[in-house]
């Protein structure tokens, strides 16, 4: 492996690496052994064909993708170990080219784990009694310890935290039937206006849909009265345009079409639509929501940095069963299937969440109760 360029700037690591011809050839050979069933060669037993045989049958670029999947993380990982660098998330490969000699040149970009000073987190003095309120005691201990962090908080970590918070918020909204009703009502009312020849501003439609949804959903049943619902839409639309005689039939068709369309949507599409309806009920869009939550995200990043350091120094770990239990718990809280959680949330942040929970407990277990005042 040859390191052609190496740069650390603004919390980002960028390196240009070159896998020599022999290294890349060896990666292709290893990739072939892992994929012999996909590349049979007439006259050769599985795993015994040479690269020349494979190239004659499948072309000169055979196994390039599979070899890169092996070589890139391996070579980049070796560099990280050699330089003793810690990164966050998954590195990204860019600007891939192949050399005339048969090697591969590529750039890898990764987010650097920030260098911070944690201060003393053992023996934190907390002005609360743990026995009186466990949750408040733990939160206070971690908050006091994380307030001692020194160092620059990378912007990309704050953005990642906002992404994680956003994903959780989407799941919560999609698990609440009331916001599904609101999303349906917005689509139906918007279409009803258009069919009546009276296009209305998005904000007006959203506000009227919110009022209509609140009127038609009764108590905990969250059941919509079809007759009342259609009557209210008729009342709203006829203010702006005369209605055709068959408008009631048109409304029925709009409602049925919405049911059919929603049933055919992918889960993630429904979640996004419901979340937009939820944000609209708060008078926000996604950009405004992120701005509103940025301060909270910064504080959470500081806590995460502290907890990661504690987990590392105290050699804490998460078992596989603990991860499965947490996914099941998230699904139950949000009212969705476990498969939906796995589709919408990367499990890596969940692992870190569990590890940080262990670190929280460690800090609390080593904290000291201090009488208030």
């Amino acid at each position: 492996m040859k390191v052609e360029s190496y740069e650390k700037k603004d919390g980002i690591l960028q390196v240009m690496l070159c896998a020599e011809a022999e290294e890349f050839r060896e990666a292709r050979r290893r990739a072939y052994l892992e994929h012999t069933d996909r590349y049979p060669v007439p006259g050769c037993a599985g795993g015994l064909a040479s690269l020349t045989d494979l190239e004659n049958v499948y072309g000169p670029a055979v196994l390039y993708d599979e070899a890169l999947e092996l070589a890139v993380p391996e070579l980049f990982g070796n560099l990280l170990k050699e330089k003793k660098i810690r990164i966050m998330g998954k590195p990204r490969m860019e600007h891939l080219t192949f050399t005339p000699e048969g090697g591969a040149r590529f750039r890898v970009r990764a987010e650097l784990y920030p260098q911070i000073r944690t201060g003393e987190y053992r023996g934190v003095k907390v002005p609360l009694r743990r026995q009186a309120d466990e949750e408040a005691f733990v939160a206070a201990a971690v908050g006091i310890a994380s307030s001692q962090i020194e160092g620059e908080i990378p912007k990309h970590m704050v953005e990642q935290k906002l992404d994680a918070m956003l994903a959780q918020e989407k799941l919560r909204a999609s698990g609440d039937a009331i916001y599904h009703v609101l999303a349906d009502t917005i689509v139906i009312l918007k279409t009803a206006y258009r069919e009546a020849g009276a296009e209305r501003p998005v904000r007006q439609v959203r506000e009227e849909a919110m009022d209509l949804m609140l009127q038609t959903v009764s108590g905990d049943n969250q059941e919509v009265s079809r007759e009342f619902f259609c009557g209210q839409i008729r009342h709203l639309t006829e203010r702006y345009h005369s209605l055709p005689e068959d408008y009631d039939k048109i409304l029925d068709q709009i409602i049925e079409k919405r049911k059919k369309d929603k049933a055919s949507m992918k889960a993630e599409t429904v979640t996004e639509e419901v979340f937009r309806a939820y944000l609209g009920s708060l008078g926000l869009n996604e950009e405004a929501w992120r701005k509103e939550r940025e301060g909270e995200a910064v504080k959470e990043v500081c806590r995460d940095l502290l907890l990661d350091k504690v987990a590392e120094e105290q050699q804490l770990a998460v078992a596989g069963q603990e991860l499965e239990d947490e996914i099941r718990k998230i699904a139950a809280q949000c009212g969705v299937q476990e498969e939906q959680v796995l589709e919408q949330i990367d499990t890596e942040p969940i692992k870190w969440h569990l590890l940080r929970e262990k670190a929280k407990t460690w800090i609390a277990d080593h904290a000291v109760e201090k009488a208030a005042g």
Side-chain angles (χ1 to χ4, degrees), residues 224-253:
V224 178
S225 166
R226 179 93 164 230
E227 181 179 355
F228 180 78
F229 182 74
C230 291
Q232 289 299 101
I233 291 181
R234 170 181 277 276
H235 172 71
L236 290 169
T237 53
E238 66 185 358
R239 293 178 302 170
Y240 301 99
H241 203 282
S242 57
L243 303 178
E245 293 183 1
D246 63 344
Y247 192 65
D248 288 337
K249 182 179 179 181
I250 292 173
L251 285 180
D252 281 335
Q253 292 172 344

Side-chain angles (χ1 to χ4, degrees), residues 232-291:
Q232 289 299 101
I233 291 181
R234 170 181 277 276
H235 172 71
L236 290 169
T237 53
E238 66 185 358
R239 293 178 302 170
Y240 301 99
H241 203 282
S242 57
L243 303 178
E245 293 183 1
D246 63 344
Y247 192 65
D248 288 337
K249 182 179 179 181
I250 292 173
L251 285 180
D252 281 335
Q253 292 172 344
I254 292 172
I255 293 171
E256 291 305 316
K257 184 177 186 302
R258 170 58 181 173
K259 288 182 179 179
K260 183 177 179 181
D261 289 347
K262 189 174 181 180
S264 65
M265 286 182 185
K266 293 181 179 179
E268 55 267 30
T269 303
V270 175
T271 296
E272 289 295 332
E273 190 176 82
V274 171
F275 186 63
R276 285 196 299 271
Y278 162 73
L279 288 180
S281 72
L282 302 176
L284 299 172
N285 56 25
E286 189 170 315
E287 182 181 355
W289 182 92
R290 293 177 75 93
K291 186 174 182 180

Side-chain angles (χ1 to χ4, degrees), residues 220-362:
D220 294 332
N221 295 326
Q222 296 182 346
E223 290 291 337
V224 178
S225 166
R226 179 93 164 230
E227 181 179 355
F228 180 78
F229 182 74
C230 291
Q232 289 299 101
I233 291 181
R234 170 181 277 276
H235 172 71
L236 290 169
T237 53
E238 66 185 358
R239 293 178 302 170
Y240 301 99
H241 203 282
S242 57
L243 303 178
E245 293 183 1
D246 63 344
Y247 192 65
D248 288 337
K249 182 179 179 181
I250 292 173
L251 285 180
D252 281 335
Q253 292 172 344
I254 292 172
I255 293 171
E256 291 305 316
K257 184 177 186 302
R258 170 58 181 173
K259 288 182 179 179
K260 183 177 179 181
D261 289 347
K262 189 174 181 180
S264 65
M265 286 182 185
K266 293 181 179 179
E268 55 267 30
T269 303
V270 175
T271 296
E272 289 295 332
E273 190 176 82
V274 171
F275 186 63
R276 285 196 299 271
Y278 162 73
L279 288 180
S281 72
L282 302 176
L284 299 172
N285 56 25
E286 189 170 315
E287 182 181 355
W289 182 92
R290 293 177 75 93
K291 186 174 182 180
E292 202 174 75
R293 304 290 288 274
E294 186 173 353
E296 180 185 345
V298 171
K299 290 182 179 179
E300 289 201 18
V301 168
C302 288
R303 287 194 290 267
D304 289 347
L305 291 172
L306 168 72
L307 297 174
D308 290 348
K309 193 70 172 178
V310 172
E312 178 187 351
E313 294 183 351
Q314 304 307 320
Q315 299 182 346
L316 306 179
V318 174
Q321 186 60 50
E322 291 176 305
L323 178 60
E324 292 179 14
D325 291 343
E326 184 65 15
I327 291 173
R328 191 175 299 112
K329 179 181 175 182
I330 292 173
Q333 288 176 341
C334 298
V336 298
Q337 298 296 317
E338 293 174 38
E339 292 76 13
Q340 189 175 348
V341 175
L342 292 172
E343 286 176 1
Q344 298 183 39
I345 297 182
D346 184 3
T347 58
E348 198 62 28
I350 299 177
K351 291 179 185 177
W352 280 109
H353 165 72
L354 293 173
L355 199 58
R356 289 163 181 164
E357 289 298 310
K358 288 177 178 283
K360 284 182 185 179
T361 301
W362 192 98

Side-chain angles (χ1 to χ4, degrees), residues 28-95:
R28 291 173 69 198
R29 189 191 68 81
R30 287 165 47 205
Y32 168 58
L33 294 177
E34 293 184 10
H35 301 281
T36 53
D37 57 325
R38 291 173 52 192
Y39 296 98
V41 175
C44 293
L48 297 182
S50 67
L51 283 179
T52 301
D53 294 331
L54 291 165
E55 289 171 351
N56 289 335
V57 176
Y58 297 101
V62 64
L63 292 165
Y64 272 36
D65 290 341
E66 294 88 344
L68 287 168
E69 290 177 4
L70 293 175
V72 173
E74 185 175 285
L75 295 178
F76 185 61
N78 290 340
L79 176 70
L80 296 179
K81 290 178 183 178
E82 178 186 331
K83 300 285 188 180
K84 296 182 179 179
I85 298 172
R86 184 179 177 186
I87 64 170
M88 300 187 307
K90 297 179 180 179
R92 295 178 293 280
M93 182 180 70
E94 306 170 338
H95 305 298

